[in-house]
Amino acid sequence: MMAMDKFLKSLFRVKSIERYQKESQESGLRRALGRWALVSLGIGAIIGGGIFTLTGVAAKNYAGPALAVSFLIAGVACLLAALAYAEFASIVPVEGSAYAYSYATVGELIAWFIGWNLILEYMMGATTVAVAWSGYFEKLLHLFGLSIPKYLTIDPFTYAKLPTDQRTASFAFNLPGFLIAWVVTAILLKGIKEAASTNNLIVALKVGAVLFVIIAGAFFINPDNWHPFIPEPVLDKEGNIHYGWPGIFTAATIVFFAYIGFDAVSTQAGEAINPRKDVPFAIVASLLITTLLYIGVSVVLTGMVSYKELDERAPVASAFAGAGVKWATYIITIAATAGLISVMMVMLLGQTRVFLAMAKDGLLPKSVFGYIHPVYKTPFRSTLLVGAIMSVVAGLVPIANVSELTSLGTLLAFTLVSLSVFILRLRRPDLERPYKVPLWPLVSLGGVAVNVFLIAQARKENLRAFAIWAVMGMIVYFAYSYHRSALARRNREEGCP
């Protein structure tokens, strides 16, 4: 019994806040990111192709003109988690994000599980974006009368399902997705300054495009398209409710995924000049800025054309084409294509920094994931490995459902961070908190409730796939990480359980 009790205690051993704060001074990374560079990284991660595509499905099939309300609901849901991230980032200014926050409050096993699931959010999320980028790049080429053979733009499994007359080769490989993964990896290998400068340029381009949509589109608004603002609910044959308030909430769960990425800012704490103040600011500021932009686009879009006439695949471009401004399609497609590059960049930055934190704790091989290049001051080997995996998966694997698994991993991280803030307020009220969550019991528990609700909305097959991923993570933990934990070693040396 004593042995079992000791084993169970070891699973929930906690790494002290004080140790994390000490390590934050010895990260080995180059501190080059100021407040607005961090905000730019957050915007770079959040604004992607989703704003140019998800709006069509959500408005046409579920929310109607009330799409702006759906974006507001999704933004508030994310804000609950963002406030929790901001408080933790001010206390534990390290690159581990939700993994480190969980390790400091609920223990090693849960922290490992969160770190394992962040692979879904960051690396698999970046891979999904690489495939999406390939599709936008193909559209961009078509606008200029160019094309790539089909067998070089999709994975072999998807290619095999095409009709025989559309298959002109015996193999297939998503070459654009593969190449863009290596372009992004090369930028990240070079250094954080180069990555931040590239991101700033891309963010300026895509924010400019979003502002163009809002300002130019405002001249083509017909207020009649907003009536009724909330269409009457409609029940389909499968029992799903479209429109009305149920439709608005369903649309909110769809557009929620356009917000994923703000938490990647917290993984840059090791490279922030003043992480305890600037990281919390950047997390909240990037989310608020993008929420306002999203609401602006949704208001203009549903005002330009009737929600019933929106093109689900390219709603923004089709709205301008319908208004006789076909040249706007070029601006929107170029912005979406370029914008996805910064999403991939920030996602890969986040993944390698989480791996770095886990390697420092002994839960991953330090020689690979903890190695910092002496010149570039980047986690060089980890970035190279993650980039290689991303490129191969983007080239060969159909990942239609990976986006939903990505969202599940993200929602679980949001849930644990919100819960951890609540726990830490009770356990350590004495800690200095440069940023404090306002109304913390309501915000923390509200964040838990909202994210658990969204997890419950996932399709059963994706929940099963997520369960398989979780089991794989537990196998890796008990086969490798549990026995090599740096915290366990220190505890043994100090005579602790």
Side-chain angles (χ1 to χ4, degrees):
M1 285 295 292
M2 288 185 64
M4 178 58 70
D5 184 56
K6 187 176 181 180
F7 171 70
L8 291 175
K9 283 184 177 179
S10 69
L11 296 180
F12 298 98
R13 49 198 173 213
V14 174
K15 185 174 179 179
S16 71
I17 297 289
E18 289 74 17
R19 186 175 293 278
Y20 266 125
Q21 291 174 341
K22 181 182 178 182
E23 288 181 0
S24 72
Q25 307 300 319
E26 308 162 354
S27 70
L29 300 170
R30 179 174 288 131
R31 293 196 177 276
L33 300 177
R35 171 171 291 194
W36 291 105
L38 290 165
V39 172
S40 180
L41 284 173
I43 295 173
I46 299 169
I47 297 182
I51 185 60
F52 300 111
T53 54
L54 291 176
T55 46
V57 176
K60 185 174 183 177
N61 298 328
Y62 296 100
L67 176 63
V69 179
S70 298
F71 269 112
L72 181 60
I73 292 170
V76 170
C78 286
L79 183 61
L80 294 174
L83 293 171
Y85 270 90
E87 177 166 322
F88 258 120
S90 74
I91 302 169
V92 188
V94 294
E95 57 274 359
S97 184
Y99 156 77
Y101 307 157
S102 300
Y103 209 167
T105 50
V106 290
E108 184 175 285
L109 179 65
I110 304 298
W112 164 266
F113 186 54
I114 289 298
W116 180 255
N117 286 318
L118 286 176
I119 297 173
L120 288 177
E121 178 180 357
Y122 294 135
M123 185 161 67
M124 289 300 102
T127 305
T128 304
V129 174
V131 174
W133 182 90
S134 177
Y136 272 102
F137 182 67
E138 192 178 2
K139 289 179 186 177
L140 183 62
L141 291 179
H142 287 164
L143 288 177
F144 293 96
L146 303 172
S147 63
I148 302 175
K150 198 69 177 175
Y151 60 85
L152 290 179
T153 60
I154 57 176
D155 64 88
F157 300 94
T158 304
Y159 186 72
K161 295 178 181 178
L162 293 175
T164 307
D165 60 339
Q166 293 184 25
R167 284 181 273 152
T168 58
S170 58
F171 70 96
F173 186 76
N174 190 337
L175 185 61
F178 175 85
L179 293 177
I180 195 61
W182 280 110
V183 169
V184 170
T185 301
I187 295 170
L188 296 182
L189 287 172
K190 187 67 176 175
I192 189 62
K193 282 188 175 180
E194 290 76 8
S197 298
T198 304
N199 178 71
N200 290 341
L201 181 64
I202 295 172
V203 166
L205 173 64
K206 61 184 177 181
V207 169
V210 172
L211 289 174
F212 166 80
V213 169
I214 295 171
I215 296 170
F219 290 98
F220 299 96
I221 287 175
N222 177 1
D224 292 339
N225 290 324
W226 289 329
H227 300 291
F229 187 69
I230 302 178
E232 289 296 317
V234 175
L235 188 68
D236 65 18
K237 294 179 180 179
E238 286 76 33
N240 299 313
I241 300 177
H242 301 258
Y243 314 120
W245 278 103
I248 289 173
F249 282 109
T250 300
T253 63
I254 294 172
V255 301
F256 169 84
F257 306 124
Y259 286 100
I260 288 177
F262 72 83
D263 55 316
V265 176
S266 64
T267 67
Q268 305 309 308
E271 287 143 302
I273 297 170
N274 188 2
R276 301 190 74 179
K277 290 185 177 180
D278 291 348
V279 172
F281 174 86
I283 290 171
V284 177
S286 60
L287 183 60
L288 291 177
I289 291 169
T290 50
T291 298
L292 290 174
L293 292 174
Y294 283 176
I295 290 173
V297 169
S298 59
V299 168
V300 167
L301 194 63
T302 54
M304 289 180 70
V305 295
S306 168
Y307 68 92
K308 295 178 182 179
E309 298 173 7
L310 282 172
D311 183 338
E312 292 184 24
R313 297 185 63 187
V316 180
S318 67
F320 276 90
V325 196
K326 293 185 178 180
W327 54 267
T329 303
Y330 288 84
I331 295 177
I332 293 163
T333 306
I334 291 170
T337 305
L340 289 173
I341 296 175
S342 68
V343 177
M344 283 183 274
M345 195 178 302
V346 180
M347 290 291 183
L348 272 168
L349 270 173
Q351 182 63 82
T352 54
R353 273 56 180 179
V354 170
F355 277 161
L356 175 61
M358 297 175 77
K360 285 181 178 179
D361 292 331
L363 304 185
L364 289 175
K366 195 168 185 177
S367 60
V368 176
F369 298 99
Y371 173 79
I372 303 294
H373 195 280
V375 177
Y376 300 137
K377 300 299 180 182
T378 58
F380 197 86
R381 293 170 184 167
S382 176
T383 303
L384 200 60
L385 177 62
V386 170
I389 294 172
M390 173 183 164
S391 66
V392 172
V393 174
L396 295 174
V397 179
I399 51 175
N401 292 330
V402 169
S403 60
E404 288 191 48
L405 289 176
T406 298
S407 300
L408 284 172
T410 304
L411 286 167
L412 189 62
F414 286 4
T415 302
L416 263 295
V417 172
S418 297
L419 181 61
S420 294
V421 162
F422 184 84
I423 293 172
L424 196 62
R425 282 289 190 106
L426 297 177
R427 285 183 180 174
R428 297 291 306 274
D430 59 302
L431 282 175
E432 179 190 354
R433 292 171 167 85
Y435 175 83
K436 291 184 178 181
V437 172
L439 303 172
W440 66 272
L442 291 176
V443 171
S444 299
L445 297 181
V448 172
V450 168
N451 289 299
V452 169
F453 171 77
L454 291 174
I455 290 172
Q457 308 309 305
R459 293 186 298 166
K460 290 182 179 178
E461 56 265 37
N462 283 311
L463 287 173
R464 284 194 291 268
F466 187 70
I468 293 171
W469 176 259
V471 170
M472 290 170 58
M474 290 298 100
I475 292 173
V476 173
Y477 174 73
F478 286 110
Y480 179 89
S481 305
Y482 175 79
H483 304 286
R484 290 168 173 78
S485 166
L487 180 59
R489 185 177 63 254
R490 284 194 296 269
N491 286 349
R492 286 194 296 268
E493 292 171 355
E494 296 169 4
C496 300

